[in-house]
Amino acid sequence: MSVLKTPLSLVSVACAMVSASAFAQDSSLSNPNISAVLDGYYQTGDRGLDGRGEGFGLGETELAISANIDDMFYGKMTAILAMHDDETEVELEEAFIQTMGLGAGFDIRAGRFLSDVGYLNNQHPHSDAFVDRPGAYRAFMGGHYFDDGVRLTYVAPTELFWTMGVEVFKGNKMRAAEVGEEHDDHDVHGMEEEHAERDYKTIGVYSAFTKLGGDIGTSSSWQLGLSYLRNENGMGFIEEDHDNEPHIEEEHDHGGHNHNAAFTGENTYIADFVYKWAPDGNYKYQHLTLSGEYFRVTDIFSFEEHDHDILSTEKSDDYHEGWYVSGVYQFTPHWSAGLRYGEVDTHEVHGDHLHGQNLKETELSLAWHHSHFSTVRLQYTNQKGTNFDGFEDDNIITLQYVMTLGAHGAHQF
């Protein structure tokens, strides 16, 4: 027996030494990063397109854990808690693994994660310089689009930063609302009208993106991005009712907490830019960030040949679009001010025509940062809407705090 015990003991010691060596090289293997982000506010009015509501409320409380799994993989899980209609909702926002240096500039991410289309989408909302995401994001991306899927990225070996990637997602959050297929009022058995469920594709979203960036001297940097998102389930179907009137059953919630896209289409094109300046590249004391994005969502309704007989519209009207421009200036280590303007233009079916809707938002924010982990923000918002239901033209004041507990990863560029 003693002969058997000796080699087993040696193997155990060897394994322990290898394990201890790995932990010494990377502390996150034994001590994962655990953090929470607290987001609370008071607001004097209701924001449109699933923005924050009037009165006291909580934004997204984020609970996150992340670590290097080993020398090949990294993992992260993020849960969010939010209030909707006085009820607390819990949702898993991220639960993914990612390769670490797969080789030749390639990496793979799989699970649930934020899509990398656009500029803001791959960042958590608590890192924003304003209380809510721009109207275009709230309308077309559900605030920020995360889903179950897989991503392949490639970083090119060029002097300028150049990355590109493709993603495949389940796509449930980007589906057009279910539309019933209306039949005769009574069938041969005397039963009332029936509705058939829409046959959604189980893999609904495909995306591709590329981003190019670099430095201008020692004080400035820039990035440009182009993205395309193909939504196989994004087109709404127009039907003719018994009065020969076209209709579409799309239920859009224009207020409250919702991560589904309010307006969808088959194709989404996004162009984005960001420019950053800091004296000698030192962002701690002073810096300026200018950014903007443009969204165009096309093929939003099913225009069959017979639809043109019942809907007096042109094919060129079959789109949504939105954009914003933003400037944020941190003028001291503890104070920053931001100005953002954005518009959203959408179309819905009303009677025998498409009904145009427009939202304009002007936002001015002033934020106090005692440290990297704490922010108190005062924001003024002027919102003006045309033909949008669920909110009014208003001047809104918001007081918000964002506090981070524990270790939290650095935000992206």
Side-chain angles (χ1 to χ4, degrees):
M1 295 295 293
S2 60
V3 176
L4 293 176
K5 286 183 178 180
T6 302
L8 287 175
S9 300
L10 291 175
V11 170
S12 301
V13 171
C15 290
M17 292 177 63
V18 171
S19 179
S21 175
F23 288 148
Q25 292 175 5
D26 189 348
S27 61
S28 69
L29 293 172
S30 58
N31 298 299
N33 295 325
I34 301 175
S35 67
V37 178
L38 308 180
D39 179 353
Y41 69 92
Y42 174 78
Q43 189 162 275
T44 62
D46 291 326
R47 295 287 300 274
L49 292 174
D50 296 321
R52 301 185 187 221
E54 183 177 2
F56 290 102
L58 295 177
E60 293 187 357
T61 296
E62 175 187 300
L63 301 173
I65 179 171
S66 63
N68 292 345
I69 298 169
D70 52 30
D71 62 332
M72 288 291 296
F73 297 98
Y74 166 84
K76 184 177 183 181
M77 183 182 73
T78 304
I80 52 175
L81 295 85
M83 295 296 296
H84 185 208
D85 295 332
D86 296 326
E87 294 184 0
T88 302
E89 298 179 346
V90 181
E91 186 167 14
L92 191 62
E93 185 176 86
E94 293 177 309
F96 67 83
I97 60 170
Q98 178 168 323
T99 59
M100 298 174 60
L102 191 61
F106 289 95
D107 271 307
I108 297 175
R109 178 176 294 192
R112 178 172 296 183
F113 52 89
L114 297 166
S115 173
D116 208 4
V117 297
Y119 172 58
L120 286 178
N121 195 75
N122 64 7
Q123 305 176 41
H124 293 279
H126 66 78
S127 66
D128 292 359
F130 298 87
V131 172
D132 280 319
R133 282 279 157 98
Y137 268 91
R138 306 197 312 269
F140 308 136
M141 307 296 285
H144 55 302
Y145 175 48
F146 57 90
D147 208 342
D148 301 338
V150 62
R151 173 197 298 161
L152 173 66
T153 56
Y154 172 69
V155 178
T158 55
E159 184 175 347
L160 291 176
F161 169 73
W162 184 20
T163 184
M164 59 200 78
V166 292
E167 301 170 324
V168 179
F169 290 114
K170 189 174 182 179
N172 288 4
K173 296 177 180 296
M174 302 295 282
R175 289 177 176 177
E178 183 176 299
V179 179
E181 182 180 347
E182 195 168 42
H183 302 282
D184 293 337
D185 284 343
H186 300 278
D187 62 14
V188 293
H189 300 289
M191 297 179 64
E192 295 185 356
E193 62 183 13
E194 298 178 355
H195 294 276
E197 292 186 358
R198 179 174 175 180
D199 185 17
Y200 288 112
K201 294 185 178 180
T202 55
I203 299 179
V205 169
Y206 303 85
S207 71
F209 58 86
T210 184
K211 300 178 182 182
L212 184 69
D215 296 327
I216 304 174
T218 59
S219 300
S220 300
S221 56
W222 59 274
Q223 179 178 283
L224 297 175
L226 294 173
S227 305
Y228 169 71
L229 188 148
R230 172 74 175 186
N231 187 355
E232 296 290 339
N233 300 316
M235 185 180 291
F237 288 92
I238 300 172
E239 296 181 346
E240 188 175 359
D241 63 18
H242 298 293
D243 297 324
N244 294 322
E245 291 288 340
H247 70 283
I248 182 168
E249 296 181 20
E250 288 192 283
E251 299 178 1
H252 299 310
D253 180 10
H254 297 292
H257 180 77
N258 185 9
H259 283 301
N260 294 344
F263 298 93
T264 61
E266 196 169 54
N267 302 292
T268 300
Y269 305 90
I270 308 171
D272 63 85
F273 80 91
V274 60
Y275 168 81
K276 295 189 176 185
W277 169 86
D280 297 322
N282 187 349
Y283 281 78
K284 180 178 180 180
Y285 300 103
Q286 187 181 16
H287 64 262
L288 171 69
T289 301
L290 303 176
S291 62
E293 295 185 68
Y294 172 77
F295 292 74
R296 188 174 183 88
V297 182
T298 67
D299 299 304
I300 61 178
F301 299 122
S302 63
F303 281 89
E304 304 295 341
E305 290 298 327
H306 68 277
D307 291 331
H308 294 289
D309 297 329
I310 64 173
L311 191 65
S312 57
T313 185
E314 298 293 334
K315 179 68 175 178
S316 59
D317 293 329
D318 186 27
Y319 73 95
H320 306 307
E321 67 178 351
W323 59 273
Y324 75 89
V325 289
S326 166
V328 180
Y329 179 47
Q330 180 175 310
F331 48 92
T332 75
H334 299 299
W335 288 93
S336 65
L339 176 64
R340 185 172 72 188
Y341 178 80
E343 293 191 18
V344 175
D345 293 281
T346 64
H347 291 93
E348 284 192 325
V349 173
H350 282 249
D352 63 349
H353 65 282
L354 286 180
H355 198 49
Q357 301 170 310
N358 176 261
L359 172 65
K360 299 179 180 179
E361 293 179 316
T362 304
E363 300 162 280
L364 178 64
S365 72
L366 179 66
W368 174 64
H369 321 271
H370 179 64
S371 70
H372 178 70
F373 300 96
S374 63
T375 299
V376 177
R377 179 176 292 112
L378 179 65
Q379 180 171 306
Y380 163 77
T381 302
N382 173 262
Q383 66 176 12
K384 294 182 179 180
T386 303
N387 298 328
F388 268 112
D389 296 326
F391 66 94
E392 300 177 350
D393 293 357
D394 204 355
N395 295 305
I396 299 171
I397 302 297
T398 308
L399 182 63
Q400 178 197 28
Y401 66 79
V402 179
M403 304 287 169
T404 302
L405 291 72
H408 193 279
H411 298 140
Q412 299 194 32
F413 179 80

